Amino acid sequence: MQIARLAHEVIKAGRAATGSKDIRCTVSIGGFVPKPHTPFQWAAMSSPEVIDHRLRLLKQAINADRSLGRAIGYRYHDGQPSLIEGLLSRGDRRVSAVIRRVWEQGGRFDGWSEHFSYERWVRACADVGVDLDWYTTRERDQLEVLPWDHLDSGLDKDWLWQDWQDSLSEYEQDDCRWTPCFDCGVCPSMDTEIQIGPTGRKLLPVTPV
Ligand code: SF4
């Protein structure tokens, strides 16, 4: 519920700084979709029911204080499209048959909610023998060969695994721009070097107009 609290604080700070009640902010949120080449490539997605339940709880928390809640817009991407995004995000070549099947069944512009049909995706998975849960809500283990392992993004896979384990232990990694290198592999493999200012610019606090 920290997101609701943050949005409340934003409205309060805006009102205090301007002396006006006419302050708005928008919370824009969706279900978490794990992506390849990140520490979460092994993570299980939440089911659409769990995502939708959490979205409802967040909305309730935002509106728990009516005077602040009224000033906060709420945009969300609900559980079913998130799950399909998860299928496409970590799918292997077998998922291409699902995409083709959806297209054959009339699927177009599925990124637009008015065109999206979850049932069409579920049917397409069943038609071509793809298990939706296996690709989305299943946690992978360290030894699993991942469909993108042959692509080199510069990140060391063992380092990513350690970062995943750290995140499960709620250990926060520091930002390597300000600390010694953690050896993730990107800089040497991409032949890059991180360079920091000084820019001389003062970024915070922002002066309200
Ligand atoms: S400095 Fe480069 S190699 Fe080191 S942790 Fe940061 S991104 Fe990775």
Side-chain angles (χ1 to χ4, degrees), residues 159 176-177 180-188 194:
W159 188 88
C176 66
R177 285 173 301 176
C181 170
F182 301 122
D183 251 344
C184 78
V186 165
C187 290
I194 292 186

Side-chain angles (χ1 to χ4, degrees), residues 30-209:
F32 179 63
V33 178
K35 297 283 174 14
H37 302 292
T38 72
F40 302 102
Q41 61 185 1
W42 292 277
M45 275 190 81
S46 300
S47 70
E49 295 74 27
V50 168
I51 291 174
D52 291 346
H53 177 63
R54 289 176 181 167
L55 290 171
R56 276 195 300 276
L57 290 179
L58 177 55
K59 192 172 185 185
Q60 282 165 16
I62 289 172
N63 290 327
D65 183 322
R66 286 301 299 149
S67 83
L68 295 171
R70 266 199 297 273
I72 299 168
Y74 188 46
R75 286 206 207 115
Y76 59 91
H77 195 197
D78 52 23
Q80 291 182 342
S82 296
L83 199 78
I84 299 306
E85 196 185 322
L87 169 73
L88 299 178
S89 158
R90 291 189 294 176
D92 55 23
R93 63 192 65 189
R94 286 167 288 192
V95 173
S96 60
V98 180
I99 298 171
R100 185 185 175 96
R101 186 76 184 142
V102 166
W103 178 78
E104 286 168 352
Q105 295 297 311
R108 303 284 188 279
F109 301 112
D110 270 24
W112 296 353
S113 54
E114 63 270 40
H115 292 290
F116 176 74
S117 164
Y118 181 66
E119 292 68 32
R120 185 160 48 212
W121 282 94
V122 171
R123 258 198 328 270
C125 287
D127 288 350
V128 302
V130 159
D131 181 342
L132 185 52
D133 289 341
W134 192 84
Y135 283 93
T136 53
T137 55
R138 176 182 65 94
E139 185 169 328
R140 282 70 164 159
D141 67 32
Q142 188 177 9
L143 295 179
E144 181 163 335
V145 176
L146 302 171
W148 48 90
D149 275 351
H150 60 294
L151 301 172
D152 182 9
S153 63
L155 281 157
D156 184 66
K157 194 174 174 187
D158 291 338
W159 188 88
L160 281 178
W161 176 262
Q162 189 51 51
D163 210 23
W164 166 229
Q165 298 307 301
D166 286 347
S167 75
L168 292 175
S169 323
E170 300 183 21
Y171 171 78
E172 196 176 330
Q173 186 66 275
D174 287 329
D175 185 332
C176 66
R177 285 173 301 176
W178 319 110
T179 64
C181 170
F182 301 122
D183 251 344
C184 78
V186 165
C187 290
S189 64
M190 296 287 158
D191 198 19
T192 54
E193 196 180 320
I194 292 186
Q195 294 185 356
I196 308 291
T199 64
R201 285 176 62 206
K202 191 177 172 201
L203 300 177
L204 289 171
V206 174
T207 311
V209 181

